[in-house]
Amino acid sequence: MDAYKDKMELVETTDPEIDKAVFRRPGFEGIKTLGEIDKRIATFIRKAREDKDLTRAELAPLLGLSMQVYGRYERAFSKMHVTRMIHLCEILGFMPMEMLFSAAPHLWGRTPEEARDTVELAQQVVSLPHGTKRDLLALVKKMVALERAADGAAAETQRGEEGRL
């Protein structure tokens, strides 16, 4: 288990919402509490709603909610189920990764720049026509295979050099 924790770069931490220690991967600004993550999600959905020029009163019925219940999500008072998040994506027209990126960008790269580039790349790919996506997928698969082959060759060379020492 220690090897897994090391590989995943997990550190033991505490969170006010959980009554025992948990393991988390630090983000670019350290470890955020679950409450802080909820607030980032709330901010994202409020901005997504506002970007569509919708009021809470207009959006809530589209979700089958009262304005008061929906408002709890935007205030991070209530936690959303994944199914509700998917429904919000459908209604407000954003990809789930955009919301998750706003809450935990470190999941998309080792640096803020890499994380932004990863999400931007994914957003660009989503907007491509299907035929172009198929061609791009074939190209990326070839690139990955070449990268893995190069990594394997480099590792083999290193093992050979270490064996000669």
Side-chain angles (χ1 to χ4, degrees), residues 5-162:
K5 289 183 228 174
D6 290 343
K7 177 184 171 191
M8 297 303 294
E9 301 175 3
L10 300 174
V11 296
E12 188 171 352
T13 188
T14 59
D15 192 288
E17 295 188 26
I18 302 172
D19 62 353
K20 54 183 146 185
V22 296
F23 287 84
R24 300 277 311 279
R25 194 172 130 209
F28 302 130
E29 303 160 355
I31 295 176
K32 298 293 180 193
T33 66
L34 298 181
E36 289 169 317
I37 291 171
D38 287 333
K39 287 177 184 172
R40 287 179 174 194
I41 291 171
T43 298
F44 178 88
I45 63 171
R46 185 187 72 247
K47 183 177 181 322
R49 174 185 56 76
E50 290 171 348
D51 288 349
K52 298 292 183 182
D53 291 323
L54 294 171
T55 65
R56 287 181 183 172
E58 292 168 329
L59 178 59
L62 298 175
L63 297 165
L65 300 172
S66 70
M67 186 178 71
Q68 293 78 12
V69 170
Y70 174 75
R72 291 180 195 147
Y73 294 133
E74 284 195 8
R75 292 189 311 275
F77 183 77
S78 293
K79 296 179 188 302
M80 269 187 275
H81 294 283
V82 172
T83 50
R84 180 70 67 202
M85 288 182 176
I86 291 169
H87 195 185
L88 269 168
C89 291
E90 293 171 345
I91 300 296
L92 294 175
F94 59 83
M95 297 296 295
M97 72 171 171
E98 295 174 64
M99 179 172 22
L100 297 176
F101 177 79
S102 74
H106 64 284
L107 298 177
W108 276 263
R110 293 206 163 276
T111 66
E113 180 184 29
E114 181 183 352
R116 283 189 305 273
D117 288 349
T118 300
V119 170
E120 183 179 352
L121 177 62
Q123 290 168 325
Q124 293 295 322
V125 169
V126 166
S127 69
L128 294 172
H130 181 251
T132 305
K133 287 178 191 174
R134 297 290 306 169
D135 294 343
L136 182 59
L137 178 60
L139 176 63
V140 169
K141 284 180 176 180
K142 287 179 184 176
M143 292 170 63
V144 168
L146 288 170
E147 185 74 25
R148 287 183 179 154
D151 288 348
E156 187 63 33
T157 300
Q158 185 176 5
R159 281 193 296 273
E161 289 173 1
E162 289 172 356

